[in-house]
Amino acid sequence: MTDTALQERYRGFVCDLDGVVYRGPTAVPHAVAALNNLPAAVVYATNNASRTPQEVADHLVGLGLHTGPQWVVNSSMAAADVLACELAAGATVLAIGGPGVAAALTGAGLHSVFDSDQPVAAVLQGYGTTVTAGDLAQAAYAIQRGARWVATNDDLTLPTDRGIAPGNGALVAAVAAAAGARPRVTGKPHPPLYLMSARVLDQPLERVLAIGDRLETDIAGAVTAGMDSALVLTGVHRATDAALAPPEQRPRYVLGDLRDLALPYAEPLPTDDGFRCAGTRIRVDGAQLRVDASPESPPIEAVRAGIAAIWAAADHGAGEDRLRALASQLPGAS
């Protein structure tokens, strides 16, 4: 494909939130303007199940984004949709997490409760800032009595404006230790959240681009769902992480920040001895990454070509130590 801008190649976008659009209450630099300028609809899809779509939309609008609750999909909604397909209408489900968990269950035609003193058909566990040890105990009791257990996601960490906090996966692990069981997980990297997002966009998967900052959730989820993905280097994972990613976590595109969506996308192309990305050439020489770039070439060209070269070395059997040495030489790795 020619070097057209990514925003011209797709008819819809699925955008992660934490680390891509904002960090806590603060917008990621350039994200708001870039997303508002996209010519196609954007669904904001997040594994963070603590808030309702209206609350998320209010946050996004407060940052300056042109959106509404109909364009927000969270992992609670995907999980509630799965349970609604398996349980009788109106079945009672124990809701563990923030307000978004109960709202998703109600929206799916199920009855949510907040303690397990009464029999429940299932437990839906999502992230919430006010989840207590007592809530986790209620979930463990219900699961031990035979309730189905669905978790919105198992992300161990959550990026915030203050640093990295424990995520829903850490809370799920506590319940698993007590209940002696493992949940079914419906959020990223599993397909339901992406499939629901494509339905909201009313687009086939091949015409939708997933944008995220985490390889093991955002990118792996898009790969699993059959959707193209772009890793943006403003959040959790950096170029070094992408270079060392296994095939099931490799993004189709790599962006420095969301402004790159509007620029002609220079793809890394193989050469006789390496890869070329626009004005930058890279080749692997033992444990050295040799870069030949013109002074005006942006660093992202070397990042894309370097990642492609390291993936090729990995696929040809290069050892882990060599791959890590090569990845450490990518721009911005130190």
Side-chain angles (χ1 to χ4, degrees):
M1 183 178 289
T2 59
D3 292 350
T4 56
L6 295 186
Q7 68 180 35
E8 303 299 333
R9 299 187 191 184
Y10 296 90
R11 293 181 180 171
F13 300 87
V14 181
C15 189
D16 182 53
L17 294 177
D18 296 304
V20 178
V21 179
Y22 54 64
R23 302 184 191 101
T26 306
V28 170
H30 315 296
V32 171
L35 290 165
N36 280 340
N37 287 331
L38 290 176
V42 182
V43 162
Y44 295 95
T46 177
N47 264 3
N48 187 335
S50 63
R51 298 186 292 174
T52 66
Q54 184 65 63
E55 289 172 323
V56 173
D58 289 344
H59 182 183
L60 296 177
V61 170
L63 296 175
L65 281 162
H66 305 154
T67 191
Q70 71 274 25
W71 299 111
V72 176
V73 174
N74 64 36
S75 54
S76 289
M77 297 165 66
D81 186 60
V82 167
L83 283 174
C85 292
E86 299 177 353
L87 303 176
T92 300
V93 179
L94 177 64
I96 302 294
V101 176
L105 289 168
T106 300
L110 300 169
H111 176 58
S112 63
V113 296
F114 302 97
D115 66 68
S116 62
D117 289 341
Q118 58 182 297
V120 297
V123 175
L124 176 51
Q125 183 178 359
Y127 180 78
T129 57
T130 60
V131 171
T132 67
D135 295 328
L136 302 182
Q138 292 280 355
Y141 300 151
I143 294 161
Q144 291 171 67
R145 290 197 295 264
R148 302 185 192 205
W149 183 20
V150 176
T152 60
N153 68 87
D154 55 3
D155 298 351
L156 289 174
T157 60
L158 178 69
T160 75
D161 58 327
R162 298 177 61 185
I164 302 298
N168 193 52
L171 305 181
V172 166
V175 175
R182 292 297 304 172
R184 182 168 18 155
V185 182
T186 58
K188 309 171 195 175
H190 305 278
L193 190 63
Y194 282 114
L195 300 179
M196 179 177 283
S197 298
R199 291 200 302 271
V200 171
L201 289 165
D202 194 25
Q203 293 293 336
L205 292 173
E206 64 270 16
R207 300 311 304 269
V208 179
L209 178 66
I211 304 168
D213 71 309
R214 298 178 71 116
L215 295 164
E216 82 282 4
T217 54
D218 303 324
I219 305 307
V223 171
T224 302
M227 188 180 290
D228 284 348
S229 63
L231 176 71
V232 59
L233 303 177
T234 55
V236 170
H237 285 137
R238 312 303 299 164
T240 299
D241 303 306
L244 298 173
E248 65 273 14
Q249 295 182 16
R250 292 177 183 175
R252 174 75 175 79
Y253 309 103
V254 179
L255 312 176
D257 61 55
L258 291 186
R259 290 177 297 180
D260 287 347
L261 290 169
L263 301 176
Y265 190 89
E267 305 222 31
L269 302 173
T271 64
D272 290 341
D273 59 353
F275 282 81
R276 173 180 61 83
C277 184
T280 301
R281 291 178 177 271
I282 281 188
R283 63 184 177 88
V284 172
D285 181 8
Q288 296 296 312
L289 206 60
R290 305 295 185 186
V291 181
D292 179 13
S294 59
E296 63 273 12
S297 296
I300 195 64
E301 292 181 4
V303 168
R304 292 171 186 163
I307 288 173
I310 294 168
W311 286 349
D315 293 345
H316 283 86
E320 183 177 348
D321 290 345
R322 181 183 172 204
L323 294 173
R324 290 190 177 279
L326 292 169
S328 71
Q329 299 166 57
L330 289 167
S334 59

